Amino acid sequence: MANDLALNAQASRRAGGFGPGALLRDPWFVLLLALLALGAGWALTDTTPAAVRFLWQWSPALLRGLGMNVQISVLAMALGTALGLVIGALSLSPSVLLRRLTRVYVLAFRNAPILVLVYFTTYVFPFELNLGRWNLPFPDWIKVVIGLGLPASANVAEIFRGAIQSIPEAQWEAAQSLAFRRTQVLRMIVLPQCVRRMLPSWMNLYASITMSTSLASLVGVHDLVDTATVASNTVARSDFTVLVYFTLLALFFAYCYPISRWTRYLERRYAHH
């Protein structure tokens, strides 16, 4: 028992560890925290430059804009994951027609520019849905979710297909020899292993989708980029414009960098299992 715990601890150290302690040892994350603390302290002094005071006033609006980006990314990834798992499973179907159709879908949406898909879903879909006597609004941010969810689903399908095909054939044969049905083999044996193999790539894809949400401002969604643009035009100071866009970069970095670190940690950890 003690030997097993020691081996697990060694594997965890080789994987690099992940958590608050690991992030606080990361020089880039520490630098970001130091800059944020310095900026917050500077904004509360009497000698604060005007640009910093304006940034402090606009910070609640910027954080609300970031919340919209996070909301879009989470929903787009949820939609992409749900569709991608279905398409990935169909790509392994015994039916040649289904395999070809899913292949066309994956190739089409993996190679389509995300900006084109965002514009397509925004201006092709209606602005409201007519359901009998009810007219339901169809807001632009939902259209952006669909525009980002389509390429995400194609990528998730490929990740899922690759994870299933990485399972040794001997496991399928052993399960079939025990009279397991194909659905039982998938649910009880293959899928639990696929989740672990898919997770690093899935998280890396989520970080990419989060950064792509900055395109939402181009179709009128009031996100972080749009808020920064409104703030820059309202204050109309060149020093504030530079500062607000540096802050925009810092906020995206602060959200996506821990995801990237966790992804690398999981890749190293699972490489030792």
Side-chain angles (χ1 to χ4, degrees):
M1 181 68 177
N3 290 336
D4 292 340
L5 292 175
L7 289 174
N8 289 336
Q10 271 187 346
S12 179
R13 284 194 295 271
R14 284 196 301 268
F18 183 82
L23 281 177
L24 291 177
R25 290 192 299 270
D26 188 280
W28 289 105
F29 199 75
V30 170
L31 177 61
L32 175 64
L33 290 179
L35 291 175
L36 291 176
L38 179 62
W42 200 8
L44 298 176
T45 63
D46 295 334
T47 59
T48 303
V52 178
R53 289 200 304 271
F54 284 125
L55 179 63
W56 186 256
Q57 294 171 6
W58 279 91
S59 58
L62 293 172
L63 292 176
R64 285 194 298 270
L66 179 63
M68 174 58 74
N69 289 90
V70 172
Q71 174 181 308
I72 291 173
S73 68
V74 169
L75 293 176
M77 201 62 199
L79 174 64
T81 301
L83 285 176
L85 292 177
V86 174
I87 294 165
L90 292 176
S91 68
L92 299 172
S93 170
S95 170
V96 176
L97 177 61
L98 279 178
R99 291 201 304 270
R100 289 181 178 177
L101 289 176
T102 55
R103 190 61 182 166
V104 169
Y105 179 94
V106 169
L107 289 175
F109 287 112
R110 284 192 75 188
N111 295 288
I114 292 180
L115 180 59
V116 174
L117 290 175
V118 169
Y119 274 120
F120 177 84
T121 54
T122 300
Y123 296 112
V124 172
F125 290 169
F127 292 100
E128 62 180 11
L129 300 175
N130 297 319
L131 301 175
R133 294 179 298 174
W134 294 279
N135 292 327
L136 301 179
F138 196 13
D140 289 337
W141 69 268
I142 294 182
K143 299 175 185 178
V144 174
V145 167
I146 298 173
L148 295 177
L150 291 174
S153 67
N155 283 281
V156 170
E158 283 294 278
I159 294 170
F160 184 48
R161 182 180 64 85
I164 290 181
Q165 291 181 336
S166 70
I167 303 298
E169 188 68 24
Q171 295 191 24
W172 290 87
E173 296 173 354
Q176 289 171 357
S177 69
L178 295 172
F180 279 90
R181 293 191 299 273
R182 183 178 178 85
T183 55
Q184 291 178 316
V185 177
L186 281 172
R187 187 179 73 253
M188 300 171 62
I189 299 173
V190 175
L191 290 182
Q193 298 180 72
C194 287
V195 170
R196 188 178 69 178
R197 300 181 185 209
M198 289 174 59
L199 191 55
S201 299
W202 185 91
M203 291 176 59
N204 191 42
L205 177 61
Y206 173 67
S208 177
I209 290 295
T210 300
M211 290 183 284
S212 297
T213 60
S214 60
L215 300 174
S217 62
L218 299 178
V219 293
V221 177
H222 196 55
D223 68 335
L224 177 58
V225 179
D226 184 68
T227 304
T229 302
V230 171
S232 175
N233 293 335
T234 302
V235 176
R237 292 174 57 103
S238 58
D239 55 349
F240 174 75
T241 297
V242 172
L243 183 59
V244 76
Y245 280 107
F246 266 115
T247 304
L248 186 151
L249 290 173
L251 288 173
F252 271 111
F253 177 83
Y255 185 76
C256 292
Y257 186 65
I259 299 174
S260 175
R261 280 294 308 271
W262 194 14
T263 302
R264 292 199 299 270
Y265 161 69
L266 291 175
E267 289 174 345
R268 292 192 297 268
R269 179 181 178 183
Y270 293 150
H272 292 90
H273 288 77

